[in-house]
Amino acid sequence: SSSNNSSSNNNSSNNSNITNNNMRAKLKKPLGCDTFVAYPPTAPDKTVVFGKNSDRPQGEGQSIRRYPAVNYSLTKEKNNVLQQCTYIQIPQAPRTHAVLLSQPNWMWGAEMGANEHGVVIGNEAVWTNVPDGDESAPAGAKLLLGMDLVRLGLERGTSSEHAMQTIVDLLETHGQAGPCAEDGDPSFTYHNSFLIADAKETWILETAGRHWCAERITHGGRNISNGLTIRTKFDKCSKGLHDHALRHKLWGGDKEESFDFAKSFSSGGIGELESSDSRQSCGNALLKENEHTLDHKVMQNILRNHEAGICMHGGFETTASMVT
C-alpha cells in the first residue's frame, strides 16, 4: 500500500522557519529519503517487507499512479518508438510491464513503485566525487534522472536482478544528470543509489556518474539513506571501475588495501556512514531492534520515526510513503 502525506504535513512549516530556498542555500545536499527491505530472519518466516519514505522539497506534489502494460512490438512503429523521459528521449522497450508508481507530479520518473512481476524499487540521492560532466556529456547536461531509472527498471524488469541490469545498461548508455526539483535549480542535482527487491533477493545498486557497484541481499534487513554504503563486499560492478579509481587517485591499488567503493567515491568521505547518529545507522538499528518481527505494521512505524529523522519535516519533508 502507498500513501501521500502532503496534506498531513500542512503544519510542518511550524516545525521549521527554513524555506526551500534558505535550506538549499545552507545545505547543498538535501537530507531525505530512507529505503528498507527485510527478509527472514529480520522479517517473519516466508515474509519480505519493503518500505520507503520519499522526502522532497516542501510543497511538491506527488501522486499514486497506475500505468498498464503495453506491447509496443505490435505497433506499426515498433522499431522506431521513443520514450520521452523527464529530459531526454530513449528507445522504447518492445514491452513495458504494468506498474504502480509514487510519482512527483512534474516529472516522468518515480520515487518508488512496484510492477506486475513483484519487483519493487526505491532510490536515494547520493553525492560522489565523479562530476556530472564526462566525455559523453558536458557539465550541466540534462540526461536521465534517478527517478526515471526507477520507473524504467520497473517497466522493463521481470525480476530484481533483471531490473538492476536494465538500470545499469541505461545508466552506462545515457548517463544521469539534470535538475531534480520542479523549479529547475541546476545546483539541485545528484547521483543515485537504488534498493531493488523481489521475493527472492534484493540488489543494492550504488552509482557514481556512469560507474556503479551492486550487492546482492537474500536474508536479514538492509537499508539505504543518502550515502554510498557498499564497501569491500560486492557482487557486480561496472567495467573499468577499479581503473577509474586508480587513475583519479581515489584508491591506491595496494594489495593490503581492498578496494572500498564508498570510501573511494563518496564526496566528503565516509564519516556520516560510520557515525552512529546518521540516519543510515539509525535505520539499521531499527531493523535490528525488530529482528524476527518486522512485518508491514512494524515497517510503517519505522517510517513514522521522528527521533532518527526518518519521518521528515521542514524545507524537505516526507511527501509520500510506501510499504509492501
Side-chain angles (χ1 to χ4, degrees), residues 53 286 290 295-306 310-311 323:
N53 273 353
L286 289 167
N290 291 283
D295 58 11
H296 67 284
K297 292 183 179 180
V298 173
M299 184 66 78
Q300 289 171 346
N301 287 332
I302 289 175
L303 296 183
R304 294 186 182 109
N305 187 290
H306 290 89
I310 292 171
C311 184
V323 172

Side-chain angles (χ1 to χ4, degrees), residues 33-295:
C33 291
D34 295 273
T35 310
F36 301 83
V37 71
Y39 293 88
T42 303
D45 287 346
K46 299 180 181 180
T47 303
V48 182
V49 185
F50 168 94
K52 179 185 174 181
N53 273 353
S54 169
D55 303 327
R56 298 290 302 170
Q58 189 179 74
E60 181 184 85
Q62 189 167 151
S63 302
I64 308 303
R65 299 178 183 178
R66 180 187 180 276
Y67 297 93
V70 178
N71 192 342
Y72 290 96
S73 65
L74 300 179
T75 65
K76 292 180 180 179
E77 301 84 8
K78 61 183 179 181
N79 295 322
N80 299 300
V81 179
L82 294 176
Q83 173 60 61
Q84 177 64 54
C85 300
T86 301
Y87 295 125
I88 64 170
Q89 291 184 331
I90 65 171
Q92 183 56 280
R95 183 186 189 277
T96 58
H97 311 307
V99 295
L100 180 68
L101 305 177
S102 190
Q103 183 178 19
N105 294 340
W106 66 273
M107 70 172 65
W108 181 83
E111 280 280 298
M112 51 204 172
N115 74 12
E116 63 181 287
H117 297 285
V119 179
V120 291
I121 306 178
N123 76 310
E124 303 283 331
V126 297
W127 287 267
T128 76
N129 50 31
V130 176
D132 285 339
D134 58 26
E135 63 276 6
S136 302
K142 294 180 178 180
L143 306 174
L144 291 174
L145 296 182
M147 288 67 74
D148 293 336
L149 290 166
V150 169
R151 181 170 175 177
L152 289 163
L154 290 169
E155 287 191 340
R156 303 182 181 196
T158 55
S159 67
S160 60
E161 184 173 16
H162 186 203
M164 184 272 294
Q165 191 61 53
T166 297
I167 290 173
V168 299
D169 288 345
L170 292 166
L171 176 71
E172 292 178 346
T173 301
H174 302 286
Q176 59 178 328
C180 296
E182 187 172 10
D183 63 8
D185 180 354
S187 69
F188 188 72
T189 184
Y190 46 77
H191 296 155
N192 293 267
S193 64
F194 304 86
L195 193 155
I196 309 165
D198 62 21
K200 175 185 174 184
E201 62 189 10
T202 286
W203 286 89
I204 305 297
L205 171 63
E206 300 187 342
T207 71
R210 301 189 192 217
H211 304 284
W212 57 272
C213 199
E215 177 186 358
R216 180 174 177 259
I217 308 295
T218 58
H219 66 279
R222 186 70 155 82
N223 65 304
I224 54 175
S225 289
N226 291 128
L228 301 178
T229 63
I230 298 176
R231 306 297 301 271
T232 59
K233 176 186 173 293
F234 50 90
D235 297 279
K236 296 186 179 185
C237 67
S238 53
K239 184 178 180 180
L241 180 67
H242 296 77
D243 290 340
H244 178 90
L246 284 170
R247 188 167 62 253
H248 291 273
K249 297 182 170 34
L250 305 176
W251 172 53
D254 260 338
K255 292 182 179 179
E256 297 179 359
E257 181 188 5
S258 298
F259 175 74
D260 185 323
F261 181 74
K263 184 177 180 180
S264 297
F265 285 91
S266 293
S267 174
I270 54 174
E272 185 173 348
L273 173 62
E274 296 180 334
S275 169
S276 61
D277 296 326
S278 69
R279 286 194 351 272
Q280 175 71 38
S281 295
C282 290
N284 185 54
L286 289 167
L287 290 173
K288 292 180 178 178
E289 286 174 12
N290 291 283
E291 189 85 359
H292 304 296
T293 62
L294 206 157
D295 58 11

